[in-house]
Amino acid sequence: MKQYLYLFLISTSLSFSQSTINWGSLWHPQNSTNGSTTFYAQVYEPGVTPGPTNAIAAWIGYSTENTNPNTDNGSWTWVSASYNATSGNNNEYMATLTPPPGTYYVASRFELNSEGSYYYGGYQTTWNNNSATITHGVYTTNDGILTDDNTWADSNPGTTISSDITIGHDVTLTGDLTINSGITVFIEAGASLIVTGNITNNGTIVVDSNSDKFGVIYSTGTNDFDIEIRRWVNTQGSSEWDLIGPSVKNLTLTDFINDNNNLIATNGSSPTTYAVGYYLTHNNSWINYNDNTLSGNSLSPSRGYQMASVSGNKLIFKGEYVLQAHQMSITNHASGSGSRWNLVANPFSSYIGGNDDTTAGNLSFLDVSDLDSSFGGIYGWKADGTGYIAYGQNYLGNDTPVYIAPGQGFFVACPSVGSGHRARFNESMIFNGVPTTTDDFIQGDLPNSENEILIKIFNHNEFLAETKLFFNENMSFGLDPGYDLGNFYQNSAISTRLLENDNGINFQIQELPEQAMENAVIPLVINQSAGQEFRINLHTATIPDPNVYLEDVEEGTFT
């Protein structure tokens, strides 16, 4: 079954015009994750309500944009609402919405005596002419007042939030914040709420996301408080799925499955097996949870899981805010029947710095974690049929920062010697807000860099794999940990080897000194079945005056 999410116009920058209707409002529900949902709206008109009447026409509409339906009606889809009941002096109307998959805003519309002038209502809110305003600029931060880097709809809520509010920008607070009982604070995808102090949550905090943006909440206080993360998770299918971790604590698997009924993919048989599983390093295998293994298990912050949703959707993670540092033990079983790989995840509801080019805190994940020197990167799942992409200290060869999205899972390689190795997630890594690059590791084509060679291999026109070379100062011809990144698949169709002190590792990314652009012989490893035709393509060469030749050492030929 397809599922959807609805957001409602609560405290936005909309200005609904007053018609001859006296009062009207969308009444309930406040939000929904169902593909088909019945919404209710109420209206009051003296001398007409309560009771059935032909004088009032009602609609409930939805839009993908948070725009004023009074002036931008073209982006809204309106569904006629039928009379349902009386409620005090009001009439209640109802309509069922079944939009295609996506995220939508919902509002109500009323007309009196077919006059052609409409009255629009948000969620349990009276909207009148100019009742919602835009205030440009920011509020001061030294007096414990919420600040917004863009706009506030209505007025600044201050240090106590006593009415429902939607945060659509980066919002900060110096001091403690209290959310009153029954109140919902909704943080949109790509927006953030940063509190330098404690959060006392007597209501509901919802942090939203979509396929390429993630909401953020961060508090420096010591209070425990509940949050609800609505985390975008890729669909099931061949080469699809996603790597995800909980950005909350104290979340049992039973509660997680119940909260995501009809949202999380299953095998549809008994016992039901869910698209939630974990990776075992010691034998290089995956195990998914089923009805018989849910009880007594929880989703653990800093541990990564494989997950898939129905048709690409948001899964709900309800639990306590993660405020302390986390470490996850990692192991290496590559010498036996297992692997060097460990599946971990960002445990925070904030972005963290992945490499040393980020401005997040003082240290990055790669700076403080115990990783194999030949695989000293973050390996993210691409979900495009090509496997994993490696992110290192000098990603794209040009000091590009790598940020890890809230709850994002990824693989790391444990060293083969020693014990007590850890993947570490510290508060000093947390990025204050939302970075310019907001996506997860499932993304499209990446831009080319200066001093780069990108080589791809094809079977006829089918892309198989690629390997990259970067040329930068301060690099060597041997191993540069964190910069030279071994291939996740050591039997990948194409990779390179170190020019000096070859350690037997096939590399996906290798960084070389700049002088290597002028004269270097780089070992290229091809893994293809005997008799299999393949094509090697010099896809990108941004080095000065490139003259690149391919030598077949078996045939003694150059191309």
Side-chain angles (χ1 to χ4, degrees), residues 176-193:
D176 297 337
L177 176 67
T178 298
I179 300 168
N180 285 349
S181 177
I183 301 306
T184 296
V185 175
F186 190 94
I187 303 171
E188 292 184 340
S192 66
L193 173 61

Side-chain angles (χ1 to χ4, degrees), residues 80-415:
S80 179
S82 59
Y83 175 80
N84 180 53
T86 61
S87 178
N89 291 323
N90 304 336
N91 279 5
E92 184 173 83
Y93 294 82
M94 57 187 287
T96 299
L97 304 185
T98 56
T103 300
Y104 301 90
Y105 296 89
V106 179
S108 58
R109 184 175 79 173
F110 302 95
E111 181 187 27
L112 183 64
N113 297 323
S114 301
E115 64 181 21
S117 180
Y118 298 113
Y119 179 99
Y120 297 94
Y123 173 72
Q124 295 191 1
T125 305
T126 300
W127 296 104
N128 295 313
N129 225 10
N130 301 321
S131 64
T133 60
I134 297 175
T135 302
H136 292 279
V138 298
Y139 295 91
T140 59
T141 59
N142 58 5
D143 57 356
I145 299 297
L146 279 168
T147 66
D148 189 332
D149 70 350
N150 195 313
T151 61
W152 272 113
D154 291 334
S155 61
N156 180 359
T159 58
T160 298
I161 298 180
S162 56
S163 61
D164 292 339
I165 187 171
T166 296
I167 293 176
H169 307 287
D170 290 331
V171 174
T172 60
L173 168 66
T174 301
D176 297 337
L177 176 67
T178 298
I179 300 168
N180 285 349
S181 177
I183 301 306
T184 296
V185 175
F186 190 94
I187 303 171
E188 292 184 340
S192 66
L193 173 61
I194 310 298
V195 178
T196 307
N198 286 304
I199 294 178
T200 301
N201 180 23
N202 299 313
T204 302
I205 299 175
V206 177
V207 186
D208 199 25
S209 68
N210 56 37
S211 61
D212 59 2
K213 292 181 181 179
F214 303 87
V216 165
I217 184 169
Y218 174 57
S219 167
T220 63
T222 58
N223 280 4
D224 287 323
F225 58 93
D226 292 335
I227 58 175
E228 176 182 325
I229 306 290
R230 297 181 182 175
R231 217 294 182 176
W232 176 268
V233 176
N234 201 24
T235 185
Q236 82 270 34
S238 177
S239 300
E240 298 286 348
W241 290 63
D242 218 331
L243 300 182
I244 303 293
S247 295
V248 297
K249 59 183 180 180
N250 298 328
L251 174 57
T252 68
L253 267 167
T254 299
D255 287 342
F256 177 69
I257 295 300
N258 289 338
D259 288 338
N260 292 283
N261 183 35
N262 295 327
L263 293 176
I264 196 164
T266 70
N267 68 341
S269 61
S270 181
T272 301
T273 299
Y274 300 94
V276 179
Y278 54 93
Y279 176 76
L280 295 176
T281 301
H282 73 274
N283 63 2
N284 188 28
S285 65
W286 294 90
I287 295 180
N288 278 26
Y289 292 101
N290 60 44
D291 282 336
N292 297 328
T293 58
L294 294 180
S295 180
N297 285 309
S298 297
L299 295 177
S300 301
S302 77
R303 184 174 189 179
Y305 300 84
Q306 65 170 359
M307 294 187 186
S309 66
V310 176
S311 302
N313 221 316
K314 301 169 189 177
L315 298 187
I316 299 170
F317 296 78
K318 292 182 180 179
E320 291 184 8
Y321 174 78
V322 176
L323 53 82
Q324 72 274 14
H326 274 259
Q327 299 184 32
M328 180 175 169
S329 296
I330 57 177
T331 57
N332 187 315
H333 297 273
S335 61
S337 59
S339 77
R340 60 176 56 86
W341 299 107
N342 297 258
L343 182 53
V344 301
N346 175 9
F348 301 114
S349 52
S350 307
Y351 287 85
I352 62 173
N355 66 0
D356 58 10
D357 294 319
T358 64
T359 57
N362 299 315
L363 296 173
S364 72
F365 174 81
L366 292 181
D367 292 328
V368 301
S369 296
D370 306 325
L371 305 182
D372 189 305
S373 59
S374 295
F375 301 86
I378 296 163
Y379 289 76
W381 174 244
K382 294 182 67 177
D384 63 356
T386 62
Y388 296 86
I389 183 172
Y391 300 81
Q393 293 285 29
N394 198 21
Y395 178 54
L396 295 181
N398 58 3
D399 300 324
T400 300
V402 174
Y403 294 98
I404 304 173
Q408 183 60 54
F410 54 95
F411 274 102
V412 295
C414 179

